[in-house]
C-alpha cells in the first residue's frame, strides 16, 4: 500500500477528509506533522489512529533550523508522497529540494499566492473562484500546477459561502490528485 505524510497547521479539515476517504483503503497515512502544538487537527488524526508529530516552529531561531528538524522527521518515515494540507509555513530549499510534495492552495494559481488567498480571491473582480493542487517548490505557491477546479462567483455571495465552496472543491480534488500521482508509473 502506498504511504503518505500529511503536513497541517490548523483545523485539519483536509487532513480529516483524506483520512476518511483514503486512509487504509487506497493508501496509508503514516504520519501527520504539524507546526502548531494546539492545532485542532491533532485530535482528528489521533482519533483515526494516525500518528502525529508536533514540531513547534516557535522553538527554532530560524526558518532553516525548523526546516532541518522537519526534513529529519520526514526522512525518518517511509513514504511515497508528502501532502501539504493547510500547512501554513513557507518552506526553504532545506525541505523543498529534498522531498516530493504537493500542496493544495485556495485560489486559481498563479492568482493570489500566499496567505489570505480566499479573501483576496473573494474581494477580486475575477468571475471565478477555485483551488489549485501544485508541486511544492522553493517559490511560494510557485510549483507546477497539477490540477485545478473552479466555480462561478455569484453576485450576492458571502465570504462564508465562498469559503465553503473552496473547501468543497479541496475535499474533492485533493484526494483525487493524490491517487492520480500515486497510481502514475
Amino acid at each position: 500500500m502506498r504511504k503518505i505524510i500529511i503536513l497541517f497547521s490548523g483545523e485539519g479539515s483536509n487532513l480529516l477528509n483524506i483520512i476518511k476517504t483514503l486512509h487504509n483503503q487506497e493508501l496509508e497515512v503514516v504520519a501527520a506533522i504539524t507546526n502548531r502544538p494546539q492545532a485542532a487537527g491533532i485530535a482528528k488524526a489521533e482519533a483515526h489512529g494516525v500518528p502525529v508529530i508536533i514540531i513547534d516552529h516557535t522553538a527554532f531561531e530560524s526558518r532553516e533550523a525548523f526546516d532541518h528538524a522537519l526534513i529529519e522527521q520526514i526522512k525518518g518515515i517511509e513514504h511515497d508522497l508528502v501532502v501539504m494540507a493547510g500547512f501554513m509555513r513557507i518552506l526553504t530549499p532545506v525541505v523543498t529540494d529534498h522531498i516530493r510534495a504537493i500542496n493544495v492552495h485556495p485560489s486559481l494559481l498563479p492568482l493570489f499566492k500566499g496567505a489570505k488567498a480566499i479573501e483576496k480571491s473573494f474581494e477580486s473582480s475575477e468571475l471565478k473562484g477555485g483551488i489549485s493542487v501544485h508541486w511544492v517548490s522553493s517559490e511560494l505557491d510557485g510549483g507546477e500546477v497539477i490540477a485545478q477546479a473552479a466555480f462561478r462567483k455569484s453576485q450576492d455571495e458571502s465570504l462564508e459561502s465562498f469559503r465553503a465552496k473552496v473547501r468543497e472543491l479541496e475535499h474533492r480534488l485533493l484526494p483525487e490528485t493524490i491517487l492520480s500521482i500515486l497510481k502514475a508509473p
Side-chain angles (χ1 to χ4, degrees):
M1 186 172 284
R2 305 301 293 269
K3 300 174 183 197
I4 66 169
I5 296 171
I6 300 174
L7 307 183
F8 71 100
S9 293
E11 288 299 315
S13 70
N14 278 304
L15 164 79
L16 182 60
N17 182 61
I18 293 166
I19 291 170
K20 285 184 170 182
T21 60
L22 302 178
H23 182 57
N24 291 333
Q25 299 166 60
E26 303 281 344
L27 54 79
E28 181 182 357
V29 180
V30 291
I33 302 175
T34 184
N35 62 309
R36 294 194 176 142
Q38 305 304 319
I42 295 169
K44 293 172 183 170
E46 290 176 339
H48 289 86
V50 174
V52 176
I53 299 166
I54 301 168
I55 309 171
D56 185 351
H57 67 274
T58 64
F60 297 87
E61 56 189 55
S62 71
R63 191 171 297 281
E64 289 77 11
F66 170 82
D67 283 3
H68 279 290
L70 176 62
I71 198 69
E72 185 176 309
Q73 287 292 326
I74 291 171
K75 285 185 171 186
I77 302 167
E78 182 184 337
H79 67 281
D80 299 293
L81 182 67
V82 174
V83 177
M84 294 174 56
F87 189 62
M88 304 304 292
R89 293 284 303 166
I90 297 171
L91 297 173
T92 67
V94 168
V95 173
T96 60
D97 288 354
H98 297 95
I99 61 168
R100 181 174 183 239
I102 62 171
N103 181 46
V104 62
H105 184 74
S107 78
L108 293 169
L109 291 172
L111 300 173
F112 315 115
K113 293 180 178 185
K116 305 284 184 195
I118 292 175
E119 292 83 353
K120 291 174 188 173
S121 180
F122 174 75
E123 293 166 359
S124 78
S125 61
E126 296 292 323
L127 300 177
K128 292 190 278 186
I131 68 159
S132 303
V133 179
H134 65 92
W135 290 106
V136 173
S137 71
S138 58
E139 179 187 344
L140 176 64
D141 297 323
E144 178 186 352
V145 173
I146 305 163
Q148 290 183 314
F151 59 88
R152 188 171 255 331
K153 287 165 122 176
S154 62
Q155 290 183 331
D156 59 345
E157 188 101 55
S158 70
L159 178 59
E160 292 74 28
S161 69
F162 186 86
R163 188 182 311 277
K165 289 177 183 177
V166 166
R167 293 290 174 245
E168 183 180 318
L169 288 181
E170 288 178 342
H171 290 178
R172 178 181 55 80
L173 190 61
L174 183 56
E176 288 175 5
T177 305
I178 293 166
L179 288 179
S180 174
I181 291 168
L182 293 178
K183 289 179 180 179

